[in-house]
Amino acid sequence: MFEAFLTSSAVVALAEIGDKTQLLAIILATRFHRPWEIVAGILCATLANHFLAALLGEQVANLLDGKAFRYAVAVSFIAMAGWTLVPDRMDDDAPRESRYGAFLTTLVAFFLVEMGDKTQIATIALGARFHSVLAVMAGTTLGMMAANVPAVFLGEALIARVPLGVVRGLAALLLLAVGLWVLAQTAGVLPG
């Protein structure tokens, strides 16, 4: 359980750097100037989204528990490593004028923008790998908060100073390592 928590935290914290949800956090912070409401919205949206994602991963793994599925999980981590190297842009995902305030706007925007995002896909894969919904959800949520809370409070100054290419490279290496580890366990090279 502790391994699931730590791995989930590290994977998502690194994968989130420069991700569109982190860019969204910066946009919301500069728009609303209510950092604690934005942080609360990010926390609630992430808890809900990542609980569902980890649950989905665990349930699919329970239904399809076999070597072929474990190989698919390994390949998904390796594919996520490649996807992590591709920078995100906000484009049309930026929030429009809102009359609902910082918390509700953040809650809804974060939940929706996270759908199909690489950190959500990683959470599904982590749920499938570890079969521990709560540990994975707690870990991925901690990783999201570790990456996004500084973005809310420090905004663009933080992004300007963080070498995103290096962070994306570290995240990709971590995802690749997890994928290769699952692959080696499934093949019987490492104990499972």
Side-chain angles (χ1 to χ4, degrees):
M1 193 163 155
F2 192 62
E3 178 186 1
F5 175 78
L6 288 178
T7 303
S8 298
S9 297
V11 165
V12 170
L14 288 171
E16 183 64 11
I17 303 295
D19 190 66
K20 65 184 170 187
T21 46
Q22 188 178 52
L23 300 174
L24 176 61
I26 293 168
I27 290 168
L28 291 166
T30 57
R31 180 165 169 234
F32 285 107
H33 304 288
R34 296 187 164 279
W36 291 110
E37 291 179 36
I38 293 166
V39 167
I42 292 169
L43 177 62
C44 292
T46 302
L47 283 169
N49 192 296
H50 287 203
F51 172 76
L52 294 172
L55 182 64
L56 176 65
E58 181 189 60
Q59 294 304 307
V60 168
N62 287 337
L63 290 173
L64 303 175
D65 194 23
K67 270 197 170 192
F69 180 71
R70 287 191 298 273
Y71 279 122
V73 169
V75 168
S76 73
F77 276 109
I78 294 167
M80 285 294 305
W83 188 10
T84 299
L85 295 173
V86 178
D88 278 332
R89 290 181 174 44
M90 276 306 296
D91 298 330
D92 293 327
D93 293 331
R96 306 284 185 251
E97 283 300 314
S98 173
R99 58 187 158 167
Y100 300 111
F103 173 78
L104 192 56
T105 300
T106 302
L107 176 74
V108 171
F110 248 79
F111 188 85
L112 293 176
V113 170
E114 187 66 10
M115 299 300 267
D117 191 56
K118 62 186 152 199
T119 51
Q120 185 190 44
I121 304 299
T123 302
I124 293 169
L126 289 161
R129 163 64 183 93
F130 290 109
H131 297 272
S132 182
V133 173
L134 294 180
V136 169
M137 178 203 62
T140 58
T141 299
L142 177 63
M144 285 287 283
M145 299 311 287
N148 286 309
V149 170
V152 169
F153 285 100
L154 302 174
E156 293 179 28
L158 178 67
I159 298 301
R161 288 186 170 86
V162 174
L164 296 180
V166 172
V167 174
R168 273 194 286 280
L170 289 172
L173 284 174
L174 181 59
L175 287 164
L176 179 63
V178 171
L180 293 174
W181 176 37
V182 172
L183 194 63
Q185 281 184 326
T186 304
V189 176
L190 294 175

